[in-house]
């Protein structure tokens, strides 16, 4: 069980920007070769920056979708060291954007497992936050079987951080099914949910879960996803989207590699929270 009593809240001590802010969600269909995936991620991030995005997010495991689940264990990186982390830092600095680095495999306490970690970099290339995926996906449905616990060590810390774009909360993929995680963050302005949803569960629940998290938290939700057929035979759902605090889908990309761009408007969000102060009407947390 995660520890909701001690949210790791990083304050970047930057002035919050006013007015609409352009953000981007990157959609990919990653393969087993890290170098190729990083090249594709760079191409798409360059497009996002050229379109004026100041904040961008990559999907879960943008850097590797191996032929076997254990492939990510073989390429796991030490903290603050390795080509994937260097890539994230360098491209954030080069493009002058804040970057939510989807997720990458980092070392864990077990030699046969990784931490599935989401790293955030500021526009100077400095890592300012790390979130380790808490909820590990498991599914046995027909011919499909997934058991993330076999290769991933779960995190236990809730992470939110103050940025020039407002207070953001970090989550990864399967976390979307656990609303208590987002409630434990306190009030956040933007929720990030990089994902690699299966085609089966994505078709059934992806849009519903994202819009629900946006509506109940009166927050923007940025959901960059893996989308398409992978060399390992897996099919991911895609449909990367950015949703506003009223549950309106501002932009989406059903399939294939590409960039989803939308503007978030802090003033509009504040007006919604003022008109419908549901976050202040919560009762159960202090009954």
């Amino acid at each position: 069980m995660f520890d909701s009593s001690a949210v790791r809240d990083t304050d970047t001590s930057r002035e919050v920007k006013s007015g609409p802010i352009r953000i981007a969600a990157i959609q990919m269909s990653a393969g087993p070769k890290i170098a190729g995936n990083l090249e594709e991620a760079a191409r798409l991030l360059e497009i996002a920056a050229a379109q004026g995005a100041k904040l961008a997010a990559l999907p879960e495991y943008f850097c590797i979708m191996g032929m076997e689940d254990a492939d990510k264990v073989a390429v796991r990186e030490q903290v603050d060291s390795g080509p994937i982390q260097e890539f994230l830092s360098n491209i954030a600095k080069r493009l002058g954007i804040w970057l939510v680095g989807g997720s990458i495999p980092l070392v864990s306490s077990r030699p046969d497992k990784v931490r599935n970690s989401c790293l955030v970099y500021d526009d100077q290339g400095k890592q300012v936050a790390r979130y380790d995926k808490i909820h590990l996906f498991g599914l046995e449905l027909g011919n499909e079987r997934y058991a993330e616990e076999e290769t991933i060590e779960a995190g236990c810390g809730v992470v939110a951080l103050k940025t020039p774009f407002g207070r953001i909360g970090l989550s990864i993929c399967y976390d979307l099914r656990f609303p208590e995680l987002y409630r434990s963050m306190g009030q956040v302005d933007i929720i990030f949910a990089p994902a690699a949803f299966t085609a089966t569960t994505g078709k059934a629940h992806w849009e519903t879960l994202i819009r629900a998290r946006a509506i109940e938290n009166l927050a923007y939700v940025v959901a960059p996803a893996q989308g398409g057929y992978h060399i390992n035979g897996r099919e991911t759902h895609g449909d990367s989207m950015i949703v506003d605090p009223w549950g309106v889908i501002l932009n989406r990309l059903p399939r294939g590699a590409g960039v989803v761009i939308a503007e978030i408007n802090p003033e509009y969000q504040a007006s919604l929270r003022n008109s419908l102060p549901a976050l202040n009407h919560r009762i159960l947390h202090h009954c």
Side-chain angles (χ1 to χ4, degrees):
M1 184 64 181
F2 61 82
D3 181 4
S4 61
S5 64
V7 179
R8 295 203 298 273
D9 200 334
T10 304
D11 187 351
T12 60
S13 298
R14 301 286 189 89
E15 182 180 350
V16 176
K17 298 181 184 295
S18 60
I21 304 156
R22 185 159 285 202
I23 58 178
I26 305 299
Q27 184 159 290
M28 296 175 60
S29 182
K33 301 293 186 182
I34 290 178
N37 294 327
L38 298 188
E39 183 177 341
E40 175 71 346
R43 181 183 73 84
L44 294 168
L45 287 169
E46 287 166 359
I47 293 172
Q51 293 183 13
K54 300 301 181 186
L55 173 61
L58 291 161
E60 182 182 27
Y61 285 131
F62 73 94
C63 53
I64 183 168
M65 291 283 279
M67 300 304 292
E68 304 290 341
D69 285 345
D71 288 357
K72 60 181 175 286
V73 180
V75 299
R76 66 194 184 278
E77 293 188 350
Q78 298 289 331
V79 176
D80 298 325
S81 176
I84 304 170
Q85 292 169 86
E86 289 175 9
F87 164 81
L88 292 170
S89 173
N90 290 341
I91 198 160
K93 183 177 182 179
R94 177 166 68 84
L95 298 179
I97 60 172
W98 280 64
L99 179 58
V100 178
S103 77
I104 73 171
L106 292 183
V107 293
S108 73
S109 66
R110 294 272 303 271
D112 59 339
K113 294 186 179 184
V114 301
R115 288 294 183 108
N116 188 1
S117 303
C118 178
L119 306 178
V120 181
Y121 294 81
D122 69 12
D123 53 7
Q124 301 301 309
K126 177 185 176 183
Q127 185 189 316
V128 294
R130 169 184 168 179
Y131 165 70
D132 294 346
K133 185 177 184 180
I134 292 172
H135 301 98
L136 303 184
F137 180 53
L139 174 72
E140 291 194 29
L141 186 65
N143 294 325
E144 290 186 274
R145 180 185 181 274
Y146 299 93
E148 288 190 333
E149 64 179 10
E150 294 178 357
T151 54
I152 299 174
E153 180 180 67
C156 62
V158 181
V159 178
L161 63 151
K162 296 175 183 176
T163 76
F165 316 100
R167 190 165 182 267
I168 69 176
L170 302 178
S171 63
I172 299 173
C173 200
Y174 192 49
D175 284 332
L176 277 168
R177 294 184 182 272
F178 303 89
E180 63 271 21
L181 169 63
Y182 302 93
R183 282 288 194 239
S184 69
M185 293 174 180
Q187 187 164 300
V188 290
D189 304 305
I190 313 171
I191 289 168
F192 283 88
F197 253 60
T198 70
T200 302
T201 59
K203 182 179 180 180
H205 302 140
W206 171 249
E207 179 184 325
T208 301
L209 288 168
I210 294 168
R211 295 179 68 193
R213 298 297 84 84
I215 292 165
E216 69 196 11
N217 293 290
L218 286 165
Y220 286 93
V221 176
V222 182
Q226 298 271 359
Y229 292 97
H230 302 263
I231 294 174
N232 61 11
R234 181 173 173 180
E235 181 185 1
T236 47
H237 179 63
D239 204 15
S240 297
M241 64 180 71
I242 300 172
V243 178
D244 82 3
W246 204 244
V248 176
I249 298 172
L250 300 178
N251 200 357
R252 73 196 308 170
L253 177 62
R255 297 283 282 188
V259 180
V260 176
I261 295 275
E263 287 189 344
I264 62 172
N265 189 331
E267 294 178 0
Y268 171 67
Q269 182 174 35
S271 72
L272 288 178
R273 288 177 167 178
N274 185 59
S275 298
L276 179 63
L279 297 174
N280 298 327
H281 292 161
R282 293 171 60 210
I283 299 298
L284 292 179
H285 68 299
H286 60 67
C287 270

